[in-house]
Amino acid sequence: MIRGTTIFNTTMSLKVGIVGLPNVGKSTLFKALTKKQVTIENYPFATIEPNVGVVSVPDNRLTALAATAKSAKIIPTVIEFVDIAGLVAGAHQGEGLGNKFLSHIREVDAIVEVVRDFTDSNITHVMGNPDPERDLSVIGIELAMADLDTVTRRIATTEGKARSGDKQAMQELALLTRLREALDTKEAARSVTTTDEEKKILRQLNLLTAKPLLVVKNVAEEDVKKNAGKTDELTISAKIESELAELELDDMRQYLTELGWERSGLDRLIQASYELLELITFFTAGPTETRAWTVRRGATAPQAAGVIHTDFEEGFVAAEIIAWQDLVAAGSEAKAKEQGLLRLEGKTYTVQDGDVAHFRFAPTS
């Protein structure tokens, strides 16, 4: 519950890269996503390249909270999607866009990999015919081989330090050796079990196959299902999603009803990407606005306060917390206080998804 003017922190900017072979439907998906793009000036992103779309994360809780707080406006949290050019076999050796393609993937925080599972004589497939498992394998191998090169070069610079008895280098070399063994067999770096300390080293390496991955299967209109049935795979029809994106809100809702869907595949993709990044949402609500904020799962109250403004984190005193559903059920902040639903939390509190917060802080200067 932020009262008055809010000055935003600009540190939370997370990107999801959309990758795949040529002609699998990823650009169609990206174009549909950008139809949902938010107004850039409302959010703290300095430069948005043409191939980046900033879209709002669908969250029905915002509407209920805004009605309770009688807010003048609603501001959802956002996520960035990057449309990355099609990959071909041999990319790690320079085929196609080669290193340029791989460098673009290094810049994202998570990967959405689109594979095609439909036949259309008007849309050629770079490998002759659609085969999702084969296509996944092709991309997996390219990314693994690029990572293998990175790890091999890192080993060469670490071995000397490790031989001299440098404990940190020895720990890093042990991890690098396990990574090389996995990548040699074309396994992803994310398959290697790591300790908390090793995870820090792994993040510094910025390996492509260590990034969180969501597979999106692009199927024919008649084959699309409401749910893929797998936690690591999402089934959608890019053609249907592009049609939905062109419709006005009422027409889109009618089309969804006809399809028997509660929400579009794009909304499911956005939400799944948000969860893939291990993000959660907390809210601030008041007469001026109800706003969703993004933090990493496990963030403490001061860290969440810092997302709004660095001064809030530096001068953090306490946080007034209420679960969003409790606030809505109470009908107002005042009634929630009367019912004892509002509680005071300190610096060690771990923010929960759906928390509504008001941060108390003492100015540091």
Side-chain angles (χ1 to χ4, degrees):
M1 287 156 273
I2 298 297
R3 305 175 179 96
T5 302
T6 304
I7 303 174
F8 307 120
N9 191 352
T10 60
T11 56
M12 182 62 73
S13 176
L14 296 167
K15 294 182 180 181
V16 176
I18 303 177
V19 306
L21 297 175
N23 294 343
V24 296
K26 62 186 186 56
S27 292
T28 302
L29 275 181
F30 182 77
K31 288 176 183 176
L33 279 168
T34 55
K35 292 288 184 181
K36 303 166 78 70
Q37 184 160 312
V38 298
T39 305
I40 300 304
E41 57 263 28
N42 285 344
Y43 298 93
F45 301 101
T47 303
I48 302 298
E49 298 176 6
N51 62 335
V52 177
V54 182
V55 301
S56 60
V57 177
D59 197 327
N60 293 331
R61 296 173 295 185
L62 280 165
T63 304
L65 282 170
T68 301
K70 297 179 173 56
S71 303
K73 62 180 177 179
I74 295 174
I75 302 179
T77 191
V78 297
I79 192 168
E80 291 186 55
F81 285 92
V82 184
D83 184 21
I84 297 174
L87 174 148
V88 295
H92 73 283
Q93 297 173 323
E95 294 294 327
L97 290 179
N99 292 331
K100 186 176 181 181
F101 169 91
L102 298 172
S103 68
H104 287 163
I105 301 180
R106 292 193 197 284
E107 295 172 3
V108 303
D109 301 285
I111 298 170
V112 165
E113 188 173 325
V114 181
V115 292
R116 176 176 156 187
D117 195 19
F118 68 90
T119 302
D120 188 330
S121 59
N122 296 315
I123 305 174
T124 60
H125 192 286
V126 70
M127 299 191 74
N129 64 296
D131 184 334
E133 293 305 316
R134 179 205 59 209
D135 295 353
L136 282 171
S137 176
V138 168
I139 294 176
I141 289 171
E142 293 305 320
L143 300 187
M145 292 302 96
D147 281 348
L148 181 59
D149 181 58
T150 299
V151 169
T152 301
R153 285 186 282 109
R154 186 66 171 252
I155 287 174
T157 61
T158 306
E159 281 180 323
K161 294 179 182 179
R163 280 196 296 267
S164 70
D166 185 313
K167 290 185 179 179
Q168 186 173 346
M170 291 170 67
Q171 181 184 34
E172 181 174 331
L173 183 60
L175 172 61
L176 289 168
T177 302
R178 299 204 314 276
L179 287 168
R180 182 173 61 184
E181 290 171 356
L183 294 166
D184 253 334
T185 60
K186 301 178 178 59
E187 291 291 326
R190 72 179 71 85
S191 69
V192 175
T193 303
T194 54
T195 64
D196 289 342
E197 285 300 311
E198 288 176 332
K199 282 182 173 63
K200 295 176 184 177
I201 300 171
L202 189 58
R203 282 195 291 270
Q204 293 171 2
L205 294 172
N206 196 23
L207 298 179
L208 303 172
T209 62
K211 296 179 185 293
L213 173 70
L214 173 69
V215 175
V216 173
K217 187 177 288 186
N218 181 18
V219 301
E221 294 170 84
E222 61 270 19
D223 295 330
V224 71
K225 295 179 180 179
K226 185 175 180 180
N227 295 298
K230 298 180 182 179
T231 57
D232 60 347
E233 185 179 283
L234 190 65
T235 300
I236 63 175
S237 164
K239 185 175 181 182
I240 289 178
E241 298 306 323
S242 62
E243 292 171 354
L244 284 167
E246 295 290 341
L247 298 176
E248 296 295 329
L249 184 59
D250 287 344
D251 291 335
M252 183 190 72
R253 287 172 175 165
Q254 182 178 343
Y255 192 5
L256 287 174
T257 300
E258 292 172 1
L259 291 168
W261 299 355
E262 292 182 5
R263 53 180 180 160
S264 70
L266 283 186
D267 281 352
R268 288 187 285 120
L269 171 57
I270 295 168
Q271 187 62 52
S273 299
Y274 192 73
E275 293 170 0
L276 184 67
L277 289 164
E278 295 189 344
L279 303 175
I280 63 168
T281 301
F282 74 93
F283 304 98
T284 56
T288 302
E289 67 183 36
T290 288
R291 183 168 186 142
W293 300 89
T294 297
V295 290
R296 295 278 191 186
R297 188 174 300 279
T300 62
Q303 290 170 334
V307 171
I308 299 173
H309 196 291
T310 52
D311 286 354
F312 289 9
E313 181 173 8
E314 292 168 2
F316 179 89
V317 174
E320 294 177 16
I321 300 290
I322 182 172
W324 76 273
Q325 60 267 44
D326 288 343
L327 179 56
V328 171
S332 70
E333 181 186 340
K335 290 180 181 177
K337 285 182 177 178
E338 289 175 7
Q339 296 173 29
L341 298 172
L342 200 68
R343 63 188 190 278
L344 207 60
E345 298 287 357
K347 292 182 178 181
T348 60
Y349 176 70
T350 299
V351 175
Q352 302 299 306
D353 185 65
D355 277 351
V356 183
H358 170 60
F359 298 105
R360 298 181 185 178
F361 75 104
T364 55
S365 60

